[in-house]
Amino acid sequence: MWLLDQWAERHILDAQQKGEFDNLPGRGEPLMLDDDSHIPPELRAGYRLLKNAGCLPPELEYRKEAVAFVDLLHTVQPDHPQHHELQRRLALIELKLRQAGLSTDFLRGEYATKLLHKINEE
């Protein structure tokens, strides 16, 4: 479980034990999970089709691929012949992410360390 998930789960359980979720408006009613009100009406059918087909925008595909490369690099020894090739491919994906205006800080693990430190302070 990710650090943020653990933190959120802990706070949710605390709130449940305190009864903070009792008597909330909408209690017992179904949730509307596919809220696409932020998508223009003329694009909703296309977006829904792509979503149901498992397609992601290119930036999110790059992000997903980058995370997979980082995980793979953690399992490959630095002296392994493919290690350099994996690093090169990861660098290329990072470049594409930065060109799309996205941060690549999530690949370094620094954020997770800082978040864990912050969670443990509470």
Side-chain angles (χ1 to χ4, degrees), residues 75-95:
T75 63
V76 176
Q77 296 294 325
D79 58 344
H80 191 277
Q82 288 188 323
H83 190 269
H84 179 71
E85 176 63 19
L86 292 171
Q87 281 185 319
R88 187 189 67 74
R89 291 176 65 185
L90 177 60
L92 180 61
I93 294 170
E94 281 187 74
L95 178 63

Side-chain angles (χ1 to χ4, degrees), residues 41-61:
E42 63 274 8
L43 297 177
R44 288 181 188 161
Y47 275 45
R48 173 117 355 171
L49 181 68
L50 290 170
K51 179 182 173 189
N52 291 342
C55 296
L56 291 174
E59 295 83 10
L60 293 181
E61 281 291 343

Side-chain angles (χ1 to χ4, degrees), residues 1-9 109 111-117 119:
M1 188 180 281
W2 289 90
L3 296 173
L4 190 57
D5 294 334
Q6 292 174 3
W7 176 83
E9 192 67 28
Y111 181 76
T113 304
K114 290 178 184 176
L115 184 60
L116 181 61
H117 181 68
I119 289 171

Side-chain angles (χ1 to χ4, degrees), residues 62-74 83-98 104 106-108:
Y62 290 143
R63 183 182 170 99
K64 186 177 172 183
E65 193 174 345
V67 169
F69 273 116
V70 168
D71 290 343
L72 189 57
L73 276 168
H74 287 300
H83 190 269
H84 179 71
E85 176 63 19
L86 292 171
Q87 281 185 319
R88 187 189 67 74
R89 291 176 65 185
L90 177 60
L92 180 61
I93 294 170
E94 281 187 74
L95 178 63
K96 289 178 181 180
L97 284 167
R98 280 190 248 119
T104 58
F106 67 95
L107 296 172
R108 303 286 172 262

